[in-house]
Amino acid sequence: MKLKVYSILIFCVTLWASNFIIGAVLVNYWSALHVTVYRLLCICIFLGIIGFPIIRKARIRPKQWSLLSIAAILGVSVNHFSFFKSLETTSPITAAYILALTPIVTGMINRLVRGEKKSWLFWLGSIISFTGVGLIISAKQGATAQFGIGEVFSFCTMLSFAIFLVLLDILRKELDSFSVTFFTSLIGCLALLPFLSFAPIVPKQNAALPMILLLIISAILVHGVSNLVWNANQHKVGSTNAAILLNLEPIITMILSAIILHAIIQSSQIIGGLLVLTGILISVVLSEKIKKPSYP
């Protein structure tokens, strides 16, 4: 039974990893903004169709709408746009490992905002992970520490998602997960529509039907189906074990980049990746296991 659940979860992680490859392909045909809006429209339509009864029953207070709007702009508008914008100039591998820092940065935000105590293992793991990311960035085209615009957008993707996760913890105390997902996606999409007039209309390349289908189907699978399947199965193995599986995402991205994009994997990327994953395991998994309960 557990083997089946793990297989399902790994399939979800593989879909999420493929998003880096798919994104790198799509930005060759449309601007990052157009890709973002088109995919969000697909996601909203899909979620609206399958979850209409849930959405219709949602009762959202004015204060919750304000928080939903902030979460949508940061966690959807900024996050999705910066994700595709980063893939215009940086490699999927670099973007994946920067995004892998999300749980660590989320912990740092919770420390600053909520005053959560963090053990020395958390900070040790954080240093190791950020060192690994620095090594991966330095591998860019064989240069030394080239931190370009693509990496800036990747960090924006990671930071906006980390803040989004903190806001989700607050929203999910009063609203169901499906409604939060739908309304943040819808608001995030609507917030980007006015900016389309500033984006180039002429496609970078003529997009044939396969590319259009890739855009639509990938949006539904990656951000719709996989999220629903993950949420339905992760509790069966425990959140900690499920979180460990998420660390496979940058590794799978590296493998897919080599197979599909014919990317050359450098030794510094492998070493840096191992440092990132080791740091995450130390700061997120080990530090939580030894954390003692605190009393007022």
Side-chain angles (χ1 to χ4, degrees):
M1 177 63 181
K2 278 198 171 183
L3 180 60
K4 180 182 178 181
V5 175
Y6 276 116
S7 299
I8 292 171
L9 294 177
I10 290 174
F11 176 71
C12 291
V13 174
T14 303
L15 280 177
W16 292 332
S18 71
N19 199 38
F20 291 91
I21 312 302
I22 294 169
V25 172
L26 292 178
V27 293
N28 290 319
Y29 293 88
W30 297 279
S31 71
L33 183 58
H34 280 93
V35 173
T36 304
V37 172
Y38 294 158
R39 282 171 61 107
L40 284 174
L41 284 172
C42 294
I43 294 166
C44 291
I45 293 171
F46 172 75
L47 293 176
I49 292 173
I50 68 169
F52 180 73
I54 300 174
I55 297 167
R56 186 180 59 179
K57 294 178 182 178
R59 297 293 180 265
I60 304 174
R61 299 193 304 272
K63 184 179 179 180
Q64 292 171 331
W65 277 117
S66 299
L67 195 57
L68 273 173
S69 299
I70 295 172
I73 291 172
L74 286 175
V76 178
S77 302
V78 174
N79 178 263
H80 285 238
F81 171 71
S82 60
F83 174 80
F84 290 109
K85 191 66 179 176
S86 70
L87 292 172
E88 289 183 342
T89 51
T90 194
S91 74
I93 298 172
T94 301
Y97 276 109
I98 291 176
L99 193 58
L101 295 173
T102 299
I104 291 177
V105 175
T106 303
M108 292 179 176
I109 294 172
N110 279 324
R111 174 70 180 89
L112 291 172
V113 176
R114 297 181 172 180
E116 288 185 0
K117 293 184 178 180
K118 299 296 178 183
S119 69
W120 64 272
L121 277 176
F122 175 85
W123 299 110
L124 174 63
S126 301
I127 293 172
I128 294 173
S129 288
F130 276 98
T131 301
V133 167
L135 191 59
I136 292 169
I137 293 174
S138 71
K140 182 181 175 183
Q141 297 178 345
T144 55
Q146 279 198 356
F147 193 89
I149 189 66
E151 286 73 34
V152 172
F153 276 110
S154 288
F155 269 95
C156 285
T157 304
M158 180 268 297
L159 182 59
S160 61
F161 190 54
I163 298 172
F164 181 62
L165 291 178
V166 175
L167 294 175
L168 279 185
D169 281 343
I170 301 172
L171 286 167
R172 284 174 177 167
K173 291 178 181 178
E174 299 179 341
L175 299 172
D176 65 275
S177 298
F178 194 96
S179 295
V180 170
T181 302
F182 173 77
F183 285 113
T184 52
S185 298
L186 180 61
I187 295 170
C189 181
L190 293 175
L192 288 174
L193 288 179
F195 296 96
L196 281 179
S197 59
F198 300 101
I201 300 175
V202 180
K204 298 178 181 179
Q205 299 182 41
N206 290 326
L209 181 60
M211 285 298 109
I212 297 174
L213 290 176
L214 177 64
L215 185 149
I216 296 172
I217 295 172
S218 64
I220 293 172
L221 286 178
V222 173
H223 297 290
V225 175
S226 61
N227 287 351
L228 295 174
V229 172
W230 178 274
N231 292 336
N233 287 274
Q234 72 158 344
H235 69 279
K236 297 177 182 178
V237 297
S239 58
T240 299
N241 292 330
I244 292 174
L245 291 179
L246 289 174
N247 294 328
L248 294 174
E249 186 175 330
I251 298 175
I252 296 172
T253 301
M254 185 180 291
I255 296 171
L256 292 177
S257 293
I259 296 173
I260 300 174
L261 302 179
H262 307 293
I264 299 174
I265 310 301
Q266 301 181 25
S267 58
S268 54
Q269 289 177 314
I270 296 174
I271 297 171
L274 290 174
L275 287 174
V276 171
L277 298 180
T278 300
I280 291 171
L281 288 173
I282 291 173
S283 62
V284 177
V285 180
L286 293 183
S287 65
E288 287 297 316
K289 284 187 176 182
I290 69 163
K291 187 170 65 176
K292 296 179 181 179
S294 57
Y295 301 95

